[in-house]
C-alpha cells in the first residue's frame, strides 16, 4: 500500500512543456529562485484563507509541470508582486504567457471564448454593434478627427458603451473644448485597442488587432492620441510597435500639461476632501502617479488626502488582467477592502482615473452602504470648470 501511495505522488517532468513555457515567456520565468515574496504580496491572500500560490505556479512553469488549479486565471496583472520581486521577474507577463498556452491547448475558463468572439464580430468586448460606438457623445459637440487636430481623443470600448463611463468621456470632451484643444474621434471607425485579448492571453488574435489598428491610425494620420482608460494607454505605449508613429498619453498626463501651459485654468473652488485610488495600469505598470494628483491639486478648494495603501503600494480594484470578464463572487473582491481604506481617510469623494476601477469601486461602496461618492478625475475637473461634469 505504501508503494502504491508513493507511486501516486510521482510527478513526471515534461521537457516539451518546459521548452514551450520558456519560449512563450522568453525565458522570463527562469530567474525566479522561489523566495515566495510573490505569494506573500498577492492581494488574493487578503481575501482567501489559502492564497493563490504564485511561487508554486512559477516553479511548475520552470520545470515543465502542467498547471492544475487554474491559478493563472486569478491574476489581475496588478504587478504588486513585481514591485518586491528581488530578481525582477515580470510575473504578470509569465501569467499571460501561460494563458496564451492554455488557449492553444483548449484549456480556458468557461465564458472567456465568448469575449473574443464579441471582439471579432462587434469590435468590442461589450457585445455592442459599432453603430452604437458614438452613443456616449449625445449632447456634446465631438468633431471627426483629421490630421489638423492637436490630438485624437481615443475614447475606448468601455467609455463608449458603458453608461457610467460614458459620463467620463463626455466630461473629457467638454474639458478639451474649454481648454481650446482641437481634437476629434474616429467615430464608428474607432477600433478596440486589444486590451481584453491581451489580459485574457489570446495573443495570436491580439497581434492581428495591433496590425489592423496600426494600419488604420496611419491611414487617418494619427500621431498624438489621448486615451480615457489606462488600459488603452498601456496597450498603445507598451504593446504597439515603437516605430508605429503613435504618441500615446493618458488623459491625466495631457490635462497636467494643459494646466502647466496655462490653457486650463480654474476660477471657482471645488470644496471637497478627495482621496485618489491609483489604477494599476496607470501606476505600477507605467509609473504615472504624480500627474493625476497634480491635476486635482490645481483645483482651488480641493483637499487631497492619501490612503495608507497608495502609489506603488495601492490595492488593485480587481478588474485588471481580464477579470472584468470573469465573474468574481461577492466577498472575494479587492474593491471591498478598498472601502475600509477610503473610510480611514475621511474623504468625501473617492477619485480614480480608470473605467474598470470606477465600476469595481462603486459596486463595493454601494454594497457597504457607504455615502462616499466615486468620481473620475475628469468628472472632478469638469465640475470645477462648470462644464457639465455630472451628466
Amino acid at each position: 500500500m505504501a508503494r502504491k501511495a508513493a507511486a501516486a505522488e510521482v510527478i513526471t517532468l515534461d521537457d516539451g512543456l518546459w521548452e514551450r513555457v520558456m519560449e512563450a515567456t522568453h525565458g522570463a520565468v527562469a530567474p525566479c529562485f522561489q523566495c515566495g515574496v510573490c505569494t506573500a504580496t498577492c492581494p488574493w491572500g487578503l481575501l482567501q484563507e489559502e492564497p493563490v500560490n504564485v511561487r508554486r505556479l512559477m516553479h511548475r512553469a520552470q520545470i515543465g509541470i502542467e498547471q492544475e488549479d487554474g491559478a493563472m486565471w486569478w491574476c489581475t496583472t496588478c504587478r504588486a508582486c513585481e514591485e518586491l520581486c528581488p530578481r525582477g521577474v515580470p510575473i504578470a507577463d509569465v501569467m499571460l504567457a501561460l494563458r496564451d498556452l492554455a488557449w492553444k491547448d483548449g484549456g480556458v475558463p468557461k465564458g472567456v471564448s465568448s469575449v473574443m468572439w464579441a471582439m471579432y464580430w462587434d469590435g468590442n468586448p461589450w457585445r455592442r454593434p459599432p453603430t452604437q460606438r458614438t452613443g456616449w457623445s449625445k449632447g456634446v459637440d465631438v468633431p471627426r478627427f483629421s490630421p489638423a487636430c492637436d490630438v485624437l481623443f481615443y475614447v475606448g470600448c468601455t467609455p463608449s458603451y458603458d453608461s457610467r463611463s460614458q459620463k467620463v468621456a463626455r466630461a473629457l470632451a467638454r474639458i478639451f473644448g474649454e481648454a481650446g484643444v482641437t481634437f476629434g474621434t474616429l467615430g464608428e471607425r474607432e477600433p478596440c485597442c486589444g486590451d481584453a485579448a491581451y489580459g485574457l492571453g489570446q495573443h495570436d488574435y491580439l497581434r492581428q488587432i495591433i496590425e489592423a489598428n496600426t494600419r488604420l491610425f496611419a491611414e487617418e494620420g494619427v500621431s498624438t492620441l489621448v486615451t480615457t482608460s489606462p488600459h488603452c494607454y498601456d496597450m498603445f505605449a507598451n504593446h504597439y510597435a515603437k516605430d508605429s508613429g503613435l504618441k500615446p498619453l493618458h488623459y491625466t498626463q495631457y490635462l497636467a500639461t494643459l494646466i502647466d501651459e496655462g490653457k486650463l485654468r480654474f476660477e471657482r473652488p471645488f470644496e471637497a476632501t478627495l482621496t485618489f485610488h491609483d489604477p494599476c495600469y496607470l501606476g505600477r505598470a507605467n509609473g504615472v502617479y504624480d500627474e493625476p494628483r497634480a491635476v486635482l491639486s490645481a483645483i482651488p478648494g480641493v483637499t487631497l488626502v492619501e490612503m495608507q495603501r497608495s502609489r506603488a503600494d495601492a490595492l488593485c480594484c480587481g478588474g485588471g488582467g481580464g477579470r472584468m470578464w470573469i465573474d468574481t463572487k461577492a466577498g472575494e473582491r479587492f474593491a471591498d477592502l478598498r472601502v475600509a481604506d477610503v473610510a480611514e481617510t475621511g474623504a468625501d469623494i473617492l477619485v480614480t482615473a480608470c473605467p474598470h476601477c470606477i465600476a469595481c469601486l462603486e459596486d463595493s461602496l454601494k454594497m457597504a452602504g457607504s455615502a462616499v461618492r466615486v468620481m473620475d478625475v475628469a468628472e472632478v475637473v469638469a465640475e470645477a470648470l462648470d462644464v457639465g461634469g455630472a451628466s
Side-chain angles (χ1 to χ4, degrees):
M1 292 293 290
R3 288 182 180 178
K4 288 184 178 180
E9 296 173 2
V10 170
I11 297 175
T12 302
L13 303 184
D14 186 337
D15 289 342
L17 176 60
W18 174 80
E19 291 175 359
R20 290 180 72 210
V21 170
M22 290 299 290
E23 181 180 1
T25 64
H26 303 289
V29 71
C32 173
F33 63 5
Q34 295 295 294
C35 69
V37 168
C38 50
T39 299
T41 308
C42 181
W44 281 112
L46 302 172
L47 289 166
Q48 299 176 341
E49 185 175 341
E50 182 65 31
V52 174
N53 196 326
V54 183
R55 175 174 61 179
R56 181 171 182 269
L57 185 149
M58 296 289 287
H59 188 52
R60 294 179 75 91
Q62 278 182 320
I63 61 179
I65 302 175
E66 288 283 352
Q67 304 292 338
E68 294 178 340
D69 57 3
M72 72 185 84
W73 297 100
W74 286 91
C75 180
T76 65
T77 61
C78 73
R79 301 183 188 274
C81 53
E82 295 180 11
E83 287 290 322
L84 297 176
C85 177
R87 300 300 298 274
V89 178
I91 299 169
D93 292 342
V94 172
M95 295 288 188
L96 296 177
L98 293 175
R99 292 179 185 180
D100 188 39
L101 292 178
W103 279 97
K104 292 177 171 62
D105 296 337
V108 301
K110 183 180 179 181
V112 169
S113 295
S114 64
V115 178
M116 295 301 104
W117 280 114
M119 292 176 66
Y120 179 78
W121 289 113
D122 298 321
N124 68 85
W126 286 89
R127 302 175 177 86
R128 302 280 291 278
T131 54
Q132 295 181 9
R133 197 168 188 100
T134 60
W136 66 272
S137 62
K138 185 177 181 181
V140 184
D141 182 21
V142 181
R144 179 67 164 77
F145 175 80
S146 75
C149 293
D150 294 332
V151 298
L152 168 70
F153 176 25
Y154 181 84
V155 182
C157 296
T158 299
S160 291
Y161 296 109
D162 174 63
S163 59
R164 174 62 183 88
S165 292
Q166 286 177 341
K167 297 178 181 179
V168 179
R170 286 193 290 272
L172 276 172
R174 289 171 176 145
I175 293 167
F176 294 155
E178 184 73 10
V181 173
T182 59
F183 73 98
T185 73
L186 294 180
E188 294 179 7
R189 290 201 75 196
E190 181 183 274
C192 175
C193 68
D195 174 69
Y198 167 74
L200 291 172
Q202 184 36 281
H203 294 168
D204 287 340
Y205 182 39
L206 175 62
R207 282 187 282 273
Q208 297 177 38
I209 293 172
I210 290 174
E211 289 172 4
N213 290 353
T214 301
R215 287 194 299 271
L216 173 62
F217 291 143
E219 291 170 6
E220 294 283 350
V222 176
S223 176
T224 302
L225 72 164
V226 177
T227 72
T228 313
S229 172
H231 291 262
C232 300
Y233 167 64
D234 179 73
M235 288 303 304
F236 295 130
N238 300 318
H239 304 289
Y240 282 57
K242 298 300 181 183
D243 61 357
S244 65
L246 296 177
K247 300 174 184 176
L249 291 169
H250 183 254
Y251 82 82
T252 57
Q253 296 172 302
Y254 191 54
L255 295 189
T257 298
L258 293 177
I259 291 170
D260 288 343
E261 294 175 348
K263 296 178 180 177
L264 197 58
R265 299 185 180 90
F266 301 96
E267 305 296 338
R268 59 196 293 270
F270 184 87
E271 300 288 351
T273 300
L274 315 179
T275 189
F276 182 71
H277 167 81
D278 291 278
C280 298
Y281 273 66
L282 191 61
R284 278 188 292 267
N286 287 287
V288 180
Y289 296 111
D290 295 334
E291 289 89 335
R293 289 171 171 82
V295 172
L296 294 172
S297 297
I299 303 172
V302 163
T303 299
L304 186 60
V305 294
E306 294 286 358
M307 285 180 273
Q308 185 173 357
R309 292 182 281 198
S310 65
R311 292 183 176 260
D313 294 325
L315 180 65
C316 176
C317 75
R323 293 294 305 181
M324 285 297 293
W325 317 109
I326 300 175
D327 185 50
T328 303
K329 297 177 182 178
E332 293 185 354
R333 298 170 182 171
F334 300 158
D336 295 346
L337 303 176
R338 210 55 167 153
V339 172
D341 291 348
V342 176
E344 289 177 0
T345 68
D348 309 307
I349 302 173
L350 171 59
V351 185
T352 189
C354 173
H356 293 344
C357 293
I358 287 177
C360 294
L361 294 169
E362 280 194 336
D363 281 350
S364 290
L365 284 165
K366 288 176 183 176
M367 290 292 291
S370 173
V372 173
R373 183 182 178 190
V374 179
M375 295 183 72
D376 191 277
V377 171
E379 293 175 307
V380 176
V381 170
E383 284 202 15
L385 293 171
D386 196 21
V387 292
S391 62

